[in-house]
Amino acid sequence: MAERHRIARRIFDAAVDRAHPRSWLAAHLPPPPPRGRLILLAAGKAAGSMTQLAEAHYLDTLKLSPDRFLGHAVARHGYEAPTRHIPMVAAGHPVPDEGSIASATRALELAASATADDLVLVLLSGGGSANWVAPAGTLALAEKQAVNKALLRSGAPIGEMNIVRKRLSRIKGGRLALAAAPAKLLTLAVSDVPHDDPAAIASGPTVPDPSTMADARTIVARYGLTLPPAAQALLADDASETPKPGDPAFAGSEYRIVARPADAIAAAVKAAAEAGYEPIDLGPDLEGEARDVAAAQSKRARELMAAGRRAALISGGELTVTIAGNGRGGPNQEFALALAIALAGDPGIVALSGDTDGTDGGGGEATDPAGAVIDETTLARARALGLDPAQSLTQNDSTGFFSALGDLLQTGPTLTNVNDCRVILIDPRTNS
């Protein structure tokens, strides 16, 4: 069984390695502008690694004069990387903090300083929504934090959360592009959202926003969100609407997704095949309540076992958790706990579920777990320790459950983020 644990981890690590910027960023970096400045703005969990690589490319490989190269980079606390020219700072995630406001303010200042001779290069990745926060209207940081917490507890998919966030911001929903015009603007993005929607990645600060104010109001009503008065005022005012396709601010703008969840899942599929398993790719874009997806995948795993197939169920996407209890956890850990309960100790199955960024839910610390691992002994070992798996699930306390078992997936910050990777290994040879 220990060997199958190691194989599951190797498959997950293959997905993370494929997503790291060192595998692909240099090929996408543009030449500096002929006369003007290169203004680099980076935000999100991959901002540190991307900025480091961009510095090496421009300063060392292309010998760009440092006085023509400036910018600012921000990542989640613990995800910073040592840079030598572009200032790198940390900010809160998933709940923004003062660093988020200072970073967004600096990014908007630098973008607004750009001229038609300059190139604004935006290196964007998941986490950017919380790292770049510029409250609109009279919205204060504490009120913005309250909105984020309400959205996180609602169980809303990330795309719906971002539709609301855009109406409360001076940088999201295409507004950074408004600030940068008339400069040329290139965004290189790491996708952490299902279906790779540019408008959803970090709340789309450099692309037109196809969603509407009416959409935002519907989402607030659907989840029964109670918002601060300043946020309610912004959502009631049609002047808070975001720039749409066709706005002239986007005429000189280009957007490229340079790393996708599908790339990471393809690497996991390859690693599973190399380990001797029949890979079954369920796709990179799964969504839904974590425990519901776990129930569906447990059924599929049992069918494969009954058919005698040595297989690996591999899936990506971003699951949600509707919080009803007061425990600690995240979608990957909750998926793993629900899967263990659904499998009920069936032999021959090992599963790992983790977030490729290295942290799954949690309190915003770099030491938060990335996910968890289960096998046929999970429930028996838990009960021997006096743990009630069903109660842990009801209380959304998957971290407490797996911590007691020693089965948390601890990777530390990976400095990238292409959503989740779930691996379920089915091995009929151990079930004979």
Side-chain angles (χ1 to χ4, degrees), residues 82-409:
T83 57
R84 52 194 165 110
H85 184 68
I86 301 297
M88 173 97 230
V89 300
H93 183 280
V95 178
D97 58 15
E98 292 288 353
S100 309
I101 291 182
S103 294
T105 300
R106 182 58 178 153
L108 287 167
E109 289 173 350
L110 287 166
S113 78
T115 71
D117 288 334
D118 296 331
L119 171 64
V120 178
L121 174 62
V122 177
L123 304 179
L124 202 59
S125 52
S129 287
N131 292 160
W132 272 347
V133 171
T138 62
L139 195 66
L141 173 60
E143 292 172 314
K144 180 73 172 177
Q145 290 171 328
V147 172
N148 268 32
K149 289 176 181 177
L151 287 167
L152 289 166
R153 291 187 65 88
S154 71
I158 186 65
E160 292 187 350
M161 291 190 208
N162 287 346
I163 287 172
V164 176
R165 288 167 171 164
K166 290 173 186 179
R167 272 78 202 167
L168 311 178
S169 174
R170 293 180 289 109
I171 194 169
K172 295 176 171 60
R175 291 189 174 95
L176 182 60
L178 293 183
K184 294 293 184 183
L185 174 68
L186 172 63
T187 303
L188 301 180
V190 180
S191 174
D192 71 323
V193 299
H195 313 294
D196 304 325
D197 179 7
I201 300 169
S203 296
T206 60
V207 293
D209 178 31
S211 68
T212 66
M213 187 69 76
D215 294 332
R217 294 167 184 155
T218 297
I219 291 164
V220 170
R222 179 184 303 139
Y223 294 100
L225 301 177
T226 301
L227 303 182
Q232 294 178 29
L234 287 166
L235 290 177
D237 184 358
D238 288 338
S240 301
E241 190 55 284
T242 49
K244 301 303 175 194
D247 191 297
F250 302 109
S253 177
E254 182 184 355
Y255 192 102
R256 299 181 206 158
I257 297 178
V258 290
R260 305 168 187 268
D263 301 329
I265 295 303
V269 166
K270 182 174 183 288
E274 290 171 348
Y277 287 84
E278 173 195 353
I280 298 175
D281 184 355
L282 301 180
D285 299 320
L286 270 66
E287 297 180 88
E289 192 75 19
R291 60 186 68 186
D292 295 338
V293 176
Q297 293 200 10
S298 69
K299 180 180 178 182
R300 186 74 179 273
R302 281 174 159 162
E303 290 171 349
L304 291 165
M305 180 67 76
R309 293 166 66 180
R310 189 172 192 250
L313 281 173
I314 298 172
S315 63
E318 186 166 51
L319 307 184
T320 54
V321 173
T322 302
I323 299 175
N326 56 7
R328 297 172 299 133
N332 287 284
Q333 296 163 81
E334 181 138 329
F335 170 88
L337 177 54
L339 183 67
I341 293 171
L343 290 172
D346 282 3
I349 298 176
V350 166
L352 178 153
S353 183
D355 196 319
T356 59
D357 67 15
T359 53
D360 176 51
E365 302 296 330
T367 54
D368 289 334
V373 183
I374 68 160
D375 59 36
E376 64 200 58
T377 71
T378 297
L379 298 187
R381 288 185 292 118
R383 291 176 179 130
L385 293 174
L387 298 174
D388 183 337
Q391 182 65 14
S392 294
L393 187 62
T394 298
Q395 290 298 317
N396 304 115
D397 192 26
S398 50
T399 298
F401 179 87
F402 287 113
S403 177
L405 293 176
D407 287 341
L408 289 171
L409 175 64

Side-chain angles (χ1 to χ4, degrees), residues 51-61 66 69 81-88:
T51 301
Q52 278 186 322
L53 291 162
E55 286 182 331
H57 179 76
Y58 289 113
L59 297 175
D60 301 336
T61 303
F69 186 36
T83 57
R84 52 194 165 110
H85 184 68
I86 301 297
M88 173 97 230

